[in-house]
Amino acid sequence: MILTAAIYFFGGSAALATLLMLFQRNPVKAALLMLAALLATAGLYLALSAQLLAVLQVILYAGAIMILFIVALTVTPAAWRDKPAPALIRRVLGLAAAAVILAELLKLSTALKAVPASRQFSETGTLELARLLFGPFVFQFELLSLVILASIVGAVALTSKRRNAL
Amino acid sequence: MTQYHLAAISFTLFALAAAGFLTAGSLVRMLMFLELMLNAANIALVALGTPASQAYAVMLFAIAAAEAGVGLALIITLATAFKTLEAGNIKELKG
């Protein structure tokens, strides 16, 4: 019962923060609302018995990725960010497209209504996850290291080119 | 509570983030909403409740981190070249 309430509370908080972010013009305030959404997601993971993922969410998303966004906002001059609000037609079209996406996704997943969700609080240990990551999923896991290596090389190459140009 | 309710939470977050992505003008803001869309997909995975889905969610974390790193590097390079962060103002491909 309390777990169900926690799931709805954290899910609702994340949705509310995202909704407020839509209408926030100040980019730094929008980043802080995104932080709130990500922290609410961490709470949601905890309620879903994914303890390691909740910790990783705080460290990786709310820590590392948010810092990246704040740094990107501070290194770009404020004059580049100032802009008029987008045209009304664009907003309406964007919201309508999102509503269609939501309606279609909900319609497609009606079969899930028959599947009960086991909401007993359990512990998913790191050992169990590690056995999976280094057992059946080892190929995907090793492939990920290549993805990260490529992203590091890409990011360094892009920013070093910029340094030379200046 | 059924799996449908958990999926509905994830879909709502995804749709809200998609709405933000489609209506945002600034590149940084678009990337923020992109991260939130990935986050919503992650919630759907975790909601399945199996250890294998959690393992996949760990991998998605790494993908999200890599995407944010490259995305922000690209945005800073573009912003320096075009002196703007507005996606609508970037019209030339030959920079």
Side-chain angles (χ1 to χ4, degrees), chain A residues 3 26 29 37 55 65 78 101 109-111 114-115 125 155-157:
Chain A
L3 275 184
N26 185 338
K29 281 182 184 167
V55 174
I65 294 179
I101 291 172
S109 60
T110 40
V115 186
V156 170

Side-chain angles (χ1 to χ4, degrees), chain B residues 44-86:
Chain B
L45 263 183
V46 177
L48 291 178
T50 60
S53 68
Q54 290 195 22
Y56 269 110
V58 171
M59 294 187 210
L60 253 181
F61 275 138
I63 302 259
E67 180 227 324
V70 177
L72 284 172
L74 267 175
I75 284 175
I76 290 177
T77 314
L78 269 177
T80 320
F82 288 93
K83 307 269 181 270
T84 180
L85 276 174
E86 278 301 289

